[in-house]
Amino acid sequence: MKILNHIVFIWLSASTVHAQSAFYDKLSTAAIDLTKQQVTYDPSYFRIGYPNGDVPSDKGVCTDVIIRAYRKVGIDLQKEVHEDMKLNFSRYPAIWGLSRPDKNIDHRRVPNLMTFFERHGETKPMSRNAADYQPGDIVCWNLGGGTTHIGIVVSRRSRDGKRPLIVHNIGAGQVMEDCLFNFTIIGHYRYRKL
């Protein structure tokens, strides 16, 4: 019986790992698909629907890449972040002088997404080792001057094969680039809603 239980545990563990890998592969593919869409960098405040609200499809910033990729795999970060902020507002950054959550913008702010991923995802090492970054990982950077940035690691590799590419929007629309180590990394996460 002990051997049978061990075999069942190994099978369940392998099934879980396969399901997680399949999820992150789909997330990576969703991010790559976003690069086919023409988007103008636009940090404007928009009033959007809730749940599943989105800014106009031809506009966006770095956080919208993450939001749209997750939405393509069935996860609404607008709803997830808003619900967590309603219950735990004091745990989120108090940078913008708000006294309550705002479902139109909170999920579109890098520090809020970092807090959400730290609270509900898996925090990964912030190393300079490219092997530590897997497809579907979320990476955050400090660009200097108080500006933060976020992108998603995808399954494509740099020309020399040494680094995974990143899908992000740093001003030129939703693009895929070899930029993992171009800026100071301040966050590295994996998030899959269970």
Side-chain angles (χ1 to χ4, degrees), residues 141 149 163-168 177-183:
W141 298 270
H149 184 56
R163 291 166 305 284
L165 298 181
I166 302 292
V167 171
H168 67 140
E177 294 183 319
D178 178 11
C179 63
L180 176 59
F181 300 124
N182 287 7
F183 316 105

Side-chain angles (χ1 to χ4, degrees), residues 26 29-31 33-34 37 67-75:
K26 286 179 186 174
T29 299
D33 286 347
L34 289 174
Q37 179 182 352
I67 294 159
R68 289 170 174 156
Y70 268 98
R71 190 162 286 144
K72 284 178 171 278
V73 295
I75 295 175

Side-chain angles (χ1 to χ4, degrees), residues 69-140:
Y70 268 98
R71 190 162 286 144
K72 284 178 171 278
V73 295
I75 295 175
D76 179 9
L77 286 175
Q78 179 197 29
K79 180 177 180 282
E80 299 301 320
V81 171
H82 182 66
E83 288 184 359
D84 194 49
M85 287 186 79
K86 279 195 318 189
L87 298 174
N88 304 284
F89 189 71
S90 65
R91 294 185 177 213
Y92 281 80
I95 300 170
W96 301 279
L98 301 177
S99 59
R100 65 189 195 303
D102 180 345
K103 62 185 178 291
N104 297 296
I105 191 72
D106 288 332
H107 62 298
R108 297 185 69 218
R109 292 178 162 151
V110 174
N112 286 345
L113 285 180
M114 290 176 68
T115 300
F116 178 80
F117 292 139
E118 286 167 8
R119 290 176 46 74
H120 298 283
E122 180 183 354
T123 301
K124 307 287 286 178
M126 293 182 283
S127 76
R128 299 272 310 164
N129 180 358
D132 289 339
Y133 298 87
Q134 300 300 311
D137 284 5
I138 304 298
V139 180
C140 299

Side-chain angles (χ1 to χ4, degrees), residues 50-75:
Y50 178 83
N52 285 311
D54 196 4
V55 301
S57 62
D58 63 339
K59 299 185 185 313
V61 293
C62 60
T63 51
D64 294 310
V65 171
I66 308 307
I67 294 159
R68 289 170 174 156
Y70 268 98
R71 190 162 286 144
K72 284 178 171 278
V73 295
I75 295 175

